[in-house]
C-alpha cells in the first residue's frame, strides 16, 4: 500500500535563529530553535557571528528535532530549506546542509521563501479546531526586515499590495529600544514595558507615503530627537518615563500599520485578515487586530506565538505545499539575500 504521509524536514537559518522542524503533512511533529544570545550585547545581529553559531547549532538542532518527532532520516520524503531573503552567510549554512542531506538521502530539495513561510504558518494544523484563512485573504507581514501588505489567492500565489520604502517596523521597534538602552531584540521589551504605560502621553511624527506603502525611517529619527531633547533637559527622563515612552511609541507604530490595513480591507472588500512575522507576537497589535473583527465585520487570524518569530515549522508547511506541486529545487540553487514573494 502507498504511504500517504509525507514527512518533510525543514531548515531555517536566514538570520540569527537556527531551527529545524519535522512535519507530517500539515502537522508539526517537532520544531526546535536555537536562539543566538551572542548578538544581545551588540545591539543587533552581527552576520559573521550568526553564521558561525549556525555552524555550531545545526547538527544538534537537527538531532533534537528528529528525536522529538521520533523519526529517522530514512523516513523523510523531502528537505525544505530557506533560500532567502536573509543574511548570505547564515543562509549558506542552512542551504549547504540541506543540499548534502537531500543528496545523501536521495530525496527532493525544496527551496522556500522565508516571507512566504511567515504567511503559510497559518496553514499548520496543530489542533482539530484550527481554522485557516480562506482565499483570497490579506496578510500584514511584520518582521525585523520586512513590512508588507499581501493578497494571497492560493497557497503559493502572493501579490504585494504595499510595503515599506525604507525600514521595517521590527527595525523601528529594535532601534528605538537601542536608543532607550535596552538589549537586542528590543521589540519584546517595548511590548513588556508598554503594558504598564500611558499610550497617549507622547506623540510622534508620521511620514506620508503614497498607496498602501509604509515608511518607518522618519518615525525612528523623530524618536531619536525626542529622546535626545528630553534627556538634555532631564538626564533621568528615560528612567522616569520608560513605560509611557514605550506605550506611546508602540501605539503610534500600530496606528500607522493598521491605517493602511483598514483602508485596504475597505477598498478590496476582502473579509479575512491575517498577521504574520516576529512583530505579530506584539500583544497590543494582536489585541487591536482582533478588535477589527467587530469594527470592520471581518475575520482575523493571529498566529500562535511559536509561529510568529523565525521558526522552521513555517518553512516546513511551505515546503509541503511546494512538494505537493512538485516544485523542487536543483542542487545548484544559491542563497538570495533579497527575494521577492
Ligand atoms: O520574523 P522575525 O523573527 O525575523 C525576521 O524575519 O526579521 O522578526 C523579528 C522581529 C524583531 O524586530 C523583534 O524585535 C520583533 O520581531 N518582535 C517584536 C515582538 N517579538 C518580536 N516586536 C514587537 N513586539 C513583540 N512582542
Ligand atoms: Zn522572519
Amino acid at each position: 500500500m502507498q504511504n500517504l504521509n509525507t514527512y518533510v524536514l525543514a531548515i531555517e537559518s536566514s538570520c540569527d535563529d537556527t531551527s529545524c522542524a519535522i512535519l507530517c503533512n500539515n502537522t508539526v511533529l517537532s520544531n526546535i530553535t536555537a536562539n543566538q544570545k551572542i548578538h544581545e550585547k551588540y545591539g543587533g545581529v552581527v552576520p559573521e557571528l550568526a553564521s558561525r553559531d549556525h555552524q555550531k547549532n545545526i547538527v544538534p538542532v537537527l538531532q533534537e528535532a528528529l528525536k522529538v518527532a521520533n523519526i529517522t532520516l530514512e523516513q523523510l520524503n523531502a528537505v525544505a530549506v530557506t533560500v532567502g531573503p536573509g543574511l548570505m552567510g547564515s543562509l549558506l549554512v542552512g542551504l549547504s546542509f540541506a543540499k548534502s542531506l537531500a543528496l545523501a538521502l536521495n530525496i527532493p530539495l525544496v527551496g522556500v521563501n522565508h516571507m512566504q513561510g511567515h504567511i503559510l504558518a497559518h496553514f499548520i494544523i496543530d489542533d482539530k479546531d484550527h481554522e485557516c484563512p480562506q482565499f483570497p485573504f490579506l496578510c500584514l507581514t511584520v518582521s525585523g526586515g520586512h513590512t508588507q501588505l499581501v493578497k494571497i489567492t492560493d497557497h503559493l500565489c502572493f501579490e504585494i499590495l504595499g510595503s515599506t520604502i525604507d525600514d521595517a517596523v521590527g527595525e523601528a521597534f529594535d532601534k528605538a529600544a537601542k536608543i532607550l538602552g535596552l538589549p537586542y531584540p528590543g521589540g519584546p521589551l517595548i511590548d513588556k514595558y508598554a503594558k504598564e504605560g500611558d499610550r497617549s502621553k507622547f506623540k510622534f511624527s508620521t511620514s506620508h507615503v503614497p498607496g498602501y506603502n509604509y515608511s518607518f525611517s522618519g518615525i525612528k529619527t523623530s524618536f531619536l530627537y525626542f529622546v535626545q531633547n528630553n534627556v538634555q533637559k532631564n538626564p533621568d527622563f528615560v528612567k522616569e518615563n520608560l513605560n509611557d515612552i514605550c506605550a506611546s511609541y508602540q501605539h503610534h507604530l500600530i496606528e500607522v500599520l493598521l491605517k493602511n490595513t483598514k483602508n485596504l480591507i475597505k477598498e478590496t472588500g476582502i473579509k479575512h485578515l491575517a498577521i504574520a512575522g516576529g512583530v505579530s507576537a506584539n500583544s497590543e497589535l494582536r489585541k487591536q487586530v482582533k478588535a477589527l473583527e467587530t469594527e470592520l465585520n471581518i475575520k482575523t487570524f493571529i498566529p500562535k506565538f511559536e509561529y510568529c518569530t523565525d521558526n522552521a515549522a513555517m518553512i516546513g508547511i511551505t515546503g509541503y505545499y511546494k512538494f505537493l506541486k512538485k516544485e523542487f529545487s536543483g542542487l545548484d540553487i544559491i542563497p538570495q539575500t533579497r527575494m521577492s514573494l
Side-chain angles (χ1 to χ4, degrees):
M1 205 177 91
Q2 200 192 350
N3 178 12
L4 295 176
N5 282 333
T6 301
Y7 291 98
V8 174
L9 161 68
I11 299 170
E12 153 64 35
S13 71
S14 65
C15 190
D16 59 339
D17 295 314
T18 321
S19 187
C20 289
I22 314 271
L23 275 78
C24 174
N25 304 328
N26 50 12
T27 61
V28 176
L29 302 181
S30 63
N31 184 34
I32 307 295
T33 304
N35 304 115
Q36 302 181 358
K37 294 274 167 250
I38 191 156
H39 309 285
E40 270 176 16
K41 60 178 179 233
Y42 297 102
V45 176
V46 184
E48 176 67 22
L49 298 179
S51 325
R52 290 175 193 218
D53 260 23
H54 285 308
Q55 284 281 14
K56 271 193 246 162
N57 295 340
I58 198 142
V59 172
V61 169
L62 169 65
Q63 283 170 337
E64 183 66 11
L66 290 167
K67 192 170 136 199
V68 172
N70 199 17
I71 286 283
T72 62
L73 283 175
E74 289 68 33
Q75 286 173 269
L76 297 173
N77 299 103
V79 183
V81 61
T82 307
V83 173
L87 301 170
M88 178 52 83
S90 293
L91 290 165
L92 262 173
V93 177
L95 189 53
S96 313
F97 190 70
K99 279 184 188 180
S100 24
L101 272 175
L103 190 62
L105 299 169
N106 195 23
I107 54 175
L109 176 75
V110 185
V112 170
N113 180 314
H114 179 90
M115 301 313 294
Q116 292 185 0
H118 273 303
I119 298 172
L120 291 193
H122 284 283
F123 292 87
I124 294 170
I125 314 287
D126 272 351
D127 52 70
K128 62 173 176 26
D129 299 327
H130 179 86
E131 270 187 76
C132 300
Q134 281 167 20
F135 304 118
F137 69 94
L138 296 173
C139 186
L140 172 66
T141 314
V142 278
S143 72
H146 293 78
T147 306
Q148 297 173 333
L149 273 168
V150 185
K151 180 177 163 188
I152 301 98
T153 47
D154 199 0
H155 290 112
L156 298 171
C157 290
F158 305 86
E159 186 187 351
I160 299 180
L161 301 178
S163 65
T164 180
I165 57 164
D166 42 52
D167 291 353
V169 68
E171 274 174 282
F173 269 102
D174 296 337
K175 288 183 180 164
K178 192 174 177 185
I179 292 164
L180 296 173
L182 303 172
Y184 176 86
L189 292 169
I190 292 193
D191 187 357
K192 180 179 149 199
Y193 293 119
K195 286 193 176 110
E196 310 296 326
D198 172 3
R199 68 185 199 183
S200 56
K201 180 122 174 234
F202 303 110
K203 297 274 174 254
F204 301 97
S205 74
T206 308
S207 311
H208 294 282
V209 270
Y212 297 105
N213 295 321
Y214 293 105
S215 165
F216 290 101
S217 157
I219 298 176
K220 184 192 69 192
T221 310
S222 89
F223 183 81
L224 173 67
Y225 292 142
F226 158 81
V227 173
Q228 282 178 346
N229 291 340
N230 279 290
V231 167
Q232 232 167 33
K233 287 181 235 155
N234 170 15
D236 291 329
F237 173 75
V238 169
K239 208 163 83 190
E240 287 168 8
N241 295 279
L242 186 61
N243 293 345
D244 296 339
I245 298 171
C246 290
S248 303
Y249 183 68
Q250 174 178 281
H251 178 65
H252 182 63
L253 293 179
I254 294 172
E255 210 170 36
V256 170
L257 284 174
L258 294 189
K259 186 168 174 250
N260 283 0
T261 310
K262 287 199 233 180
N263 286 341
L264 190 58
I265 291 166
K266 287 176 195 157
E267 176 84 8
T268 59
I270 293 176
K271 293 282 183 196
H272 281 197
L273 170 72
I275 55 171
V279 181
S280 66
N282 184 273
S283 54
E284 185 59 28
L285 177 65
R286 293 167 84 92
K287 209 171 5 171
Q288 291 202 30
V289 166
K290 186 80 192 148
L292 294 181
E293 293 204 338
T294 27
E295 187 186 329
L296 300 176
N297 189 26
I298 59 165
K299 189 155 175 48
T300 62
F301 297 82
I302 295 166
K304 278 184 172 180
F305 282 110
E306 64 256 46
Y307 301 140
C308 290
T309 45
D310 291 348
N311 65 88
M314 68 186 202
I315 304 305
I317 190 76
T318 313
Y320 171 66
Y321 282 110
K322 293 187 92 169
F323 179 87
L324 293 181
K325 290 197 159 185
K326 295 199 168 34
E327 286 190 25
F328 304 146
S329 308
L331 289 173
D332 56 351
I333 190 171
I334 53 166
Q336 292 183 44
T337 53
R338 286 165 169 270
M339 192 176 183
S340 58
L341 265 180

